[in-house]
């Protein structure tokens, strides 16, 4: 414990460091909200009796409402379903594999499970992402498809197998497409949450990150500071500035699934022009009764899926500075209509 005379100085230093770490995200959030409000004002329906969603040009011919119809999603990805049609067979864990994976996650903070999602399913979801991209829609619209929710249900089964206790699917969703450019990268270093999660041994909140494409070291693979090398874990979780020598690249093959403690410090690496687009989809699994957030119970209706996508876009827009225009305006309008976004 420091001498009493040093406490005010140390407290000021800690507050200053926290301010420096948080300020960039605050600035990004303000910019994203300002851009969305401007887009929303330009596209929102005016006057009584107008439709609830903005009608904006998408591509050259289609309105946003048409681009977000069930028929449009079905046309983009004929191999995927939007009405309970998911049919891929996903690999389960044998008890011995689950036990070894649990030990790995507890020690390192993360574990990779290979060959969980079949190749055909990965390719179909990647093709859907490319079709969404061509229409100006972010990868998070993958959650419109049954197959994304089948993966979510399986993610919870995997987390439950490792935890040895029931885990639930939470309303915390995001999908990624990192382009193959030298200036592209995944998200910067961060932790999912900064409250300790291991009061009962296994973390009460884990992230499940599914590689739909290969994620090699030169193609924006995930990086971690292993928990046993993280000086800030578990008592200073607000600290999110890893030392270079403590970072560990975690390349993955398509179809692999990464589970990690939401306290673990992690980030997406840089891509390159030699890589392919890095496509992945994520889920959060929380221990039943732990109170980590709203629990989702698939199957969800198509309209409910769109609402969850809107909420995700509003939540994570500050981390995606390139996300703006019509999708962000639509998301803010939809979230506001459901009471999940401030006006």
């Amino acid at each position: 414990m420091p001498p009493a005379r040093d406490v005010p100085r140390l407290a000021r230093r800690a507050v200053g460091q926290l301010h420096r770490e948080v300020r960039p995200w605050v600035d990004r959030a303000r910019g994203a909200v300002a851009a969305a409000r401007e887009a929303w004002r330009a596209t929102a329906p005016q006057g009584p009796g107008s439709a609830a969603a903005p009608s904006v040009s998408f591509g050259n011919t289609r309105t946003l409402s048409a681009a977000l119809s069930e028929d449009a999603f079905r046309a983009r990805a004929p191999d995927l379903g939007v009405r309970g049609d998911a049919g891929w067979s996903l690999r389960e864990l044998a008890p011995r594999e689950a036990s070894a994976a649990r030990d790995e996650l507890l020690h390192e903070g993360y574990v990779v499970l290979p060959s969980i999602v079949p190749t055909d399913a990965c390719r179909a979801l990647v093709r859907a992402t490319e079709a969404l991209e061509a229409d100006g829609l972010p990868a998070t619209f993958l959650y419109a498809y049954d197959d994304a929710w089948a993966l979510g249900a399986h993610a919870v089964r995997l987390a439950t197998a490792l935890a040895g206790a029931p885990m639930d699917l939470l309303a915390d969703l995001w999908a990624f497409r990192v382009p193959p450019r030298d200036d592209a990268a995944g998200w910067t270093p961060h932790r999912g949450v900064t409250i300790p999660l291991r009061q009962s041994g296994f973390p009460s909140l884990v992230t499940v990150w599914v590689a739909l494409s290969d994620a090699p070291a030169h193609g924006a693979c995930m990086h971690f500071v292993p928990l046993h090398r993280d000086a800030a874990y578990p008592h200073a979780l607000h600290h999110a500035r890893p030392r270079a020598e403590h970072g560990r690249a975690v390349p993955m093959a398509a179809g692999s699934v990464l589970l990690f403690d939401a306290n673990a410090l992690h980030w997406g690496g840089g891509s390159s022009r030699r890589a392919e687009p890095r496509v992945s989809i994520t889920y959060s699994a929380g221990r039943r009764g732990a109170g980590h957030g709203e629990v989702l119970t698939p199957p969800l209706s198509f309209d409910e899926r769109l609402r969850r996508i809107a909420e995700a876009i509003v939540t994570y827009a500050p981390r995606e500075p390139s996300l703006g225009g019509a999708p962000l305006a639509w998301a803010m309008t939809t979230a506001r209509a459901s009471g999940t976004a401030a006006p």
Side-chain angles (χ1 to χ4, degrees), residues 13 23 40 56 62 81 97 116 124 130 148 152 156-157 165 167 179 190 199 204 210 224 254 309 311 316 329:
R13 179 183 299 175
R23 182 59 185 269
W40 183 81
V56 295
R62 289 190 294 180
E97 184 182 9
I116 298 294
E130 301 300 330
V156 171
R157 289 196 293 272
M167 303 284 277
H190 64 284
Q199 292 86 345
S204 58
V210 182
F224 286 85
I309 291 168
E311 293 171 358
Y316 289 116

Side-chain angles (χ1 to χ4, degrees), residues 111-198:
V111 64
V112 176
L113 306 175
S115 305
I116 298 294
V117 185
T119 299
D120 288 348
C122 290
R123 289 175 177 169
L125 286 161
V126 169
R127 286 195 297 269
T129 307
E130 301 300 330
L132 291 167
E133 178 80 7
D135 272 353
L137 294 170
T140 295
F141 279 92
L142 281 179
Y143 294 102
Y145 293 104
D146 299 321
D147 308 76
W149 293 98
L151 281 180
H154 195 65
V156 171
R157 289 196 293 272
L158 295 173
T160 296
L162 269 62
M167 303 284 277
D168 290 320
L169 179 65
L170 303 182
D172 182 23
L173 310 166
W174 195 254
F176 297 85
R177 181 188 182 277
V178 179
R181 301 196 315 260
D182 290 341
D183 62 344
W187 287 357
T188 56
H190 64 284
R191 305 179 194 272
V193 296
T194 55
I195 57 171
L197 296 173
R198 294 204 185 182

Side-chain angles (χ1 to χ4, degrees), residues 19 21-32 318:
H19 177 77
E21 292 177 356
V22 170
R23 182 59 185 269
W25 298 114
V26 173
D27 291 342
R28 287 189 186 184
R30 287 173 175 168

Side-chain angles (χ1 to χ4, degrees), residues 121 237 286:
L237 294 174

Side-chain angles (χ1 to χ4, degrees), residues 129-130 133 139 174-187 209 213-215 218-222 267-272 275-280 320 322:
T129 307
E130 301 300 330
E133 178 80 7
W174 195 254
F176 297 85
R177 181 188 182 277
V178 179
R181 301 196 315 260
D182 290 341
D183 62 344
W187 287 357
W209 194 97
S213 66
D214 290 341
H218 68 281
C221 76
M222 290 288 282
W267 62 98
S271 189
S272 73
E276 297 294 327
R278 193 210 75 184
V279 181
S280 57
E320 295 281 354
S322 63

Side-chain angles (χ1 to χ4, degrees), residues 291-315:
H292 285 304
E294 183 183 359
V295 173
L296 298 180
T297 307
L300 275 61
S301 70
F302 184 77
D303 288 343
E304 177 67 8
R305 295 176 192 183
L306 290 184
R307 184 170 76 84
R308 297 300 180 176
I309 291 168
E311 293 171 358
I313 290 173
V314 171
T315 298

